[in-house]
Amino acid sequence: MSKVGLLSILEASEGEYVSGEEISRLLGVSRTAVWKQIRKLEAEGYVVEAVPRLGYKLTGKPARLSLQDLLPKLHTKRFGRQIRILDVVTSTQDEVRTMAEQGAPEGTLVIAEQQTSGRGRMGRNWVSPLGKGIWMSLLLRPPVPLPLTPQLTLLAAVALSRAIARIIPELSIGIKWPNDLLVGGRKISGILLESAAEDERLRYIVAGLGISVNLDEKDYPDELLPKAISLKMASGREVNRSDLIASVLEEFEGLYDLYLEQGFAPIRSLWEARSVTLGHVTQLNTPQGSVTGIPRGLDEMGGLRVELADGSWRTIYSAEIRDEAASS
Amino acid sequence: MSKVGLLSILEASEGEYVSGEEISRLLGVSRTAVWKQIRKLEAEGYVVEAVPRLGYKLTGKPARLSLQDLLPKLHTKRFGRQIRILDVVTSTQDEVRTMAEQGAPEGTLVIAEQQTSGRGRMGRNWVSPLGKGIWMSLLLRPPVPLPLTPQLTLLAAVALSRAIARIIPELSIGIKWPNDLLVGGRKISGILLESAAEDERLRYIVAGLGISVNLDEKDYPDELLPKAISLKMASGREVNRSDLIASVLEEFEGLYDLYLEQGFAPIRSLWEARSVTLGHVTQLNTPQGSVTGIPRGLDEMGGLRVELADGSWRTIYSAEIRDEAASS
């Protein structure tokens, strides 16, 4: 049974109720099949009223992003000036990576309404349902050597947190090293910078930026709910996605230009000011083993300076922080 | 006119001469077309004797790499234990990158007899004709953070120079920073490490290793000859490619295990001892501009420590060295 068939019946009845019996007759499927498809539509953001004896009525559709809506809000020079809005993709990262290999310019952006294989750190899945979040990937071609790439991971976290704060000033957002944004210890965004390099030379970075904007509790698997939250759940209000996309691109471009001009120092200060990782005993699982200590700040490369119990210091470039420690 | 048709005629005549007239009759093409195809075969490593009035005779075929020949020589634990030998590929890098994305294990190796789009640094072409060199790509999955990746670029150069020295001890090989191997100022190998990372975490490296083994002067474009040389041209003798491949994999695996166990310090010493870059006034073109000074050594990250004219120091992580400076 196709979604399109059901949608066209509901849309054709123009706000009137259509009985499940009639729908099942028109589409030649069982009433149970109709009910299952209605649930699927709801999961995608359609609002369907169901009244016993009367039937079903379509009362709301998922909001769609459009260039007509987004472009007038965009005040950037390069970021988002080459833009594609797609409906469903496996991952916006894969789309932009392909474009990068074909020579797409810096600032190229792909936004998707839905990702079927959204990726988080360490190959984890990333929940990205239709029309409820910002799932996008931005192409960067910074003229910096490969060892400095992690600085851009930190920059991205600062840019997103500032962009969200512009739209929802009352929200208190903390950065968990290196680039998770947390509200009350729960994750509201996912940032993943995939970089391609030749020897010590960075070819490009595809910055995957995911923000859980208008997701409701029911959009998350149960086991994720203690760890994840959307802007809507955290602030109690719907957020216009176009406004937020424009804000992200502006903040990102501004900080990026600052970085290319003045280096990492200003980014480092902004990151440290927003960090929820610094000052707390933290367990860091590095590829070489586990380290427990108190992160005190960043070094000039972007590594995390950690004070150990014996008073010695370690600089950590790559590690996972246990969730318990981060939300303390 | 197909190569296969001509080859089968020459092979069928079992060391006897076949006249150009007969070949042109059998294949239904002009004698000029026959002659052109003969030249193409020669360029691929076939040896064809041409005697006026008698015609053509096949007296030699290009040596082919085979697993039967290579595997008994291989004494590695992981490197080259998953191996594919291909005839013609666009680039062995592309082959291994695809395998890496599909989860291939560390040490996976692809060797090609010929590359049609062999890549060098900065997207330059790399001359890789049929059967005359070693064009191969090795998959690494080192548990090191992204900023340390350039150390593996330096390690690869040390491994290749030691592997070649084992086979041709009389050859004096210098390393031009970061990873060009030079004999008398002319390049004998090309190393290109393409890395894929997520945030500060290295996912994998595809190490492209090209060695100009048995190329002759005529295999190079004229403009490359002053800058490039093969092992055969440099040493005056043909080198068995399987011996050299086995030697490269053993040296690489040995140094790689040493690196994972003891860190960069021993690799750094080995690199510095073989460098032709240190101690000479050098112009380094970085993404941020040109720097002229005397490289004095590597720092613990793998950056090049350069002493400037005013006595100050700079650490360079990414730059091109002008050829003139390198061959001085």
Side-chain angles (χ1 to χ4, degrees):
Chain A
M1 175 184 178
S2 84
K3 180 176 102 181
V4 178
L6 175 60
L7 261 182
S8 60
I9 292 171
L10 290 172
E11 285 175 339
S13 52
E14 288 178 347
E16 296 294 308
Y17 287 94
V18 197
S19 71
E21 203 179 325
E22 186 167 353
I23 297 174
S24 78
R25 190 179 53 79
L26 286 167
L27 294 175
V29 297
S30 73
R31 291 188 60 175
T32 312
V34 171
W35 177 81
K36 279 187 185 163
Q37 188 65 46
I38 294 277
R39 295 300 300 265
K40 276 194 199 162
L41 286 180
E42 287 176 336
E44 290 183 3
Y46 291 90
V47 184
V48 182
E49 266 185 35
V51 177
R53 280 169 233 246
L54 284 174
Y56 302 102
K57 184 166 78 170
L58 185 67
T59 60
K61 293 184 195 180
R64 290 301 171 109
L65 292 167
S66 73
L67 291 178
Q68 293 85 330
D69 186 31
L70 178 59
L71 290 181
K73 296 174 178 171
L74 206 54
H75 304 293
T76 55
K77 292 186 296 292
R78 307 183 312 289
F79 285 20
R81 285 293 149 195
Q82 295 256 14
I83 192 167
R84 288 175 66 189
I85 300 179
L86 302 174
D87 209 42
V88 181
V89 295
T90 52
S91 156
T92 55
Q93 292 292 92
D94 296 339
E95 298 285 330
V96 173
R97 188 155 54 176
T98 303
M99 295 164 81
E101 292 289 347
Q102 291 163 353
E106 179 163 89
T108 295
L109 183 75
V110 169
I111 312 175
E113 290 286 0
Q114 183 180 6
Q115 295 185 107
T116 56
S117 311
R119 280 199 302 278
R121 277 166 69 92
M122 314 277 291
R124 294 191 192 109
N125 287 332
W126 177 254
V127 177
S128 30
L130 188 77
K132 295 202 162 183
I134 294 174
W135 330 118
M136 64 186 192
S137 295
L138 178 69
L139 177 60
L140 304 176
R141 296 184 181 277
V144 302
L146 181 63
L148 300 185
T149 311
Q151 297 179 342
L152 287 152
T153 291
L154 302 164
L155 187 154
V158 174
L160 250 68
S161 70
R162 286 165 58 104
I164 295 169
R166 259 166 60 170
I167 307 283
I168 317 176
E170 70 272 22
L171 221 54
S172 173
I173 304 170
I175 305 177
K176 173 185 152 190
W177 185 83
N179 63 9
D180 280 348
L181 302 192
L182 305 181
V183 171
R186 292 159 77 183
K187 201 167 160 176
I188 54 164
S189 85
I191 299 173
L192 184 71
L193 269 67
E194 294 187 287
S195 49
E198 280 182 5
D199 291 343
E200 73 298 340
R201 196 175 23 258
L202 185 60
R203 291 179 56 225
Y204 60 83
I205 291 175
V206 180
L209 309 172
I211 308 177
S212 301
V213 184
N214 294 323
L215 281 77
D216 300 296
E217 292 210 358
K218 67 177 171 56
D219 293 315
Y220 293 95
D222 284 347
E223 69 275 16
L224 264 187
L225 264 184
K227 298 191 236 170
I229 193 167
S230 73
L231 296 179
K232 181 183 172 190
M233 287 157 65
S235 70
R237 58 187 172 97
E238 292 244 345
V239 173
N240 182 290
R241 290 184 296 156
S242 292
D243 290 346
L244 185 50
I245 291 171
S247 178
V248 167
L249 293 174
E250 271 176 55
E251 284 291 339
F252 207 140
E253 185 177 275
L255 288 176
Y256 184 78
D257 287 346
L258 180 70
Y259 170 74
L260 293 184
E261 203 174 284
Q262 299 185 19
F264 183 54
I267 309 304
R268 175 183 176 180
S269 305
L270 291 170
W271 188 95
E272 289 179 344
R274 278 163 184 75
S275 164
V276 291
T277 301
L278 303 184
H280 303 284
V281 175
T282 303
Q283 181 181 328
L284 297 126
N285 297 318
T286 79
Q288 287 79 32
S290 178
V291 175
T292 300
I294 302 179
R296 294 295 186 191
L298 303 173
D299 74 358
E300 71 278 7
M301 299 280 291
L304 190 64
R305 295 282 293 152
V306 180
E307 188 180 358
L308 307 187
D310 64 1
S312 68
W313 290 80
R314 281 267 311 259
T315 303
I316 304 288
Y317 292 103
S318 176
E320 286 294 300
I321 295 181
R322 287 187 47 220
D323 282 335
E324 290 78 352
S327 54
S328 68
Chain B
M1 173 182 177
S2 81
K3 178 176 103 181
V4 178
L6 176 58
L7 261 183
S8 59
I9 292 171
L10 290 173
E11 285 175 340
S13 52
E14 289 179 345
E16 296 296 308
Y17 287 95
V18 196
S19 71
E21 203 178 329
E22 186 169 352
I23 297 174
S24 77
R25 189 179 54 78
L26 286 167
L27 295 173
V29 299
S30 73
R31 290 187 59 171
T32 312
V34 170
W35 177 81
K36 279 186 185 163
Q37 188 63 47
I38 294 278
R39 296 300 302 266
K40 276 194 199 163
L41 286 181
E42 287 174 337
E44 290 184 3
Y46 291 89
V47 184
V48 182
E49 266 184 36
V51 177
R53 282 170 230 248
L54 284 174
Y56 301 103
K57 182 166 78 169
L58 185 66
T59 59
K61 294 183 193 180
R64 288 304 169 107
L65 292 167
S66 73
L67 291 178
Q68 290 87 328
D69 186 31
L70 178 59
L71 289 182
K73 296 174 177 170
L74 206 55
H75 304 294
T76 55
K77 291 186 298 289
R78 306 181 316 286
F79 285 20
R81 285 295 148 192
Q82 295 256 12
I83 193 167
R84 287 174 66 189
I85 299 179
L86 303 173
D87 208 44
V88 182
V89 296
T90 51
S91 156
T92 54
Q93 293 293 91
D94 297 339
E95 298 286 329
V96 174
R97 188 156 54 177
T98 303
M99 294 165 80
E101 293 288 347
Q102 291 164 353
E106 178 162 271
T108 295
L109 182 76
V110 169
I111 311 174
E113 290 286 359
Q114 184 179 8
Q115 295 185 108
T116 56
S117 311
R119 282 199 299 277
R121 279 166 67 94
M122 315 278 292
R124 295 191 192 110
N125 287 333
W126 177 254
V127 177
S128 30
L130 187 77
K132 294 202 164 183
I134 293 174
W135 332 119
M136 65 184 191
S137 294
L138 178 69
L139 177 60
L140 303 176
R141 296 185 180 277
V144 302
L146 182 63
L148 300 186
T149 310
Q151 297 179 342
L152 286 152
T153 291
L154 302 164
L155 186 155
V158 175
L160 250 66
S161 70
R162 285 164 59 103
I164 296 170
R166 259 166 60 170
I167 307 283
I168 317 176
E170 70 271 22
L171 220 57
S172 172
I173 304 169
I175 304 177
K176 173 184 153 191
W177 186 82
N179 62 9
D180 280 348
L181 301 193
L182 305 181
V183 171
R186 292 159 78 183
K187 200 168 160 175
I188 53 163
S189 85
I191 299 174
L192 185 71
L193 268 66
E194 296 187 286
S195 50
E198 281 182 6
D199 293 341
E200 74 296 341
R201 196 177 21 259
L202 184 60
R203 289 180 57 226
Y204 61 83
I205 292 175
V206 180
L209 309 172
I211 308 177
S212 301
V213 184
N214 294 323
L215 281 77
D216 300 296
E217 292 210 359
K218 66 179 172 54
D219 293 316
Y220 292 95
D222 284 347
E223 68 275 16
L224 264 188
L225 263 186
K227 296 190 235 171
I229 193 168
S230 71
L231 295 180
K232 180 183 172 188
M233 287 156 65
S235 70
R237 57 187 172 99
E238 292 245 343
V239 174
N240 181 291
R241 290 184 297 154
S242 292
D243 289 346
L244 186 50
I245 291 171
S247 178
V248 167
L249 293 174
E250 270 176 55
E251 284 291 339
F252 208 141
E253 185 177 276
L255 288 176
Y256 184 78
D257 287 346
L258 180 72
Y259 169 74
L260 294 185
E261 203 174 284
Q262 300 185 17
F264 184 55
I267 309 303
R268 176 182 175 180
S269 304
L270 291 170
W271 188 95
E272 289 179 344
R274 278 163 183 74
S275 164
V276 292
T277 302
L278 304 184
H280 303 284
V281 174
T282 304
Q283 181 181 329
L284 297 125
N285 297 318
T286 80
Q288 286 79 31
S290 179
V291 175
T292 300
I294 303 179
R296 295 295 187 189
L298 302 173
D299 74 358
E300 71 279 6
M301 299 281 291
L304 190 64
R305 297 282 294 152
V306 180
E307 188 179 0
L308 307 187
D310 65 2
S312 68
W313 291 79
R314 280 268 310 260
T315 304
I316 303 289
Y317 293 102
S318 177
E320 286 294 301
I321 294 182
R322 286 186 48 220
D323 282 333
E324 291 77 353
S327 55
S328 67

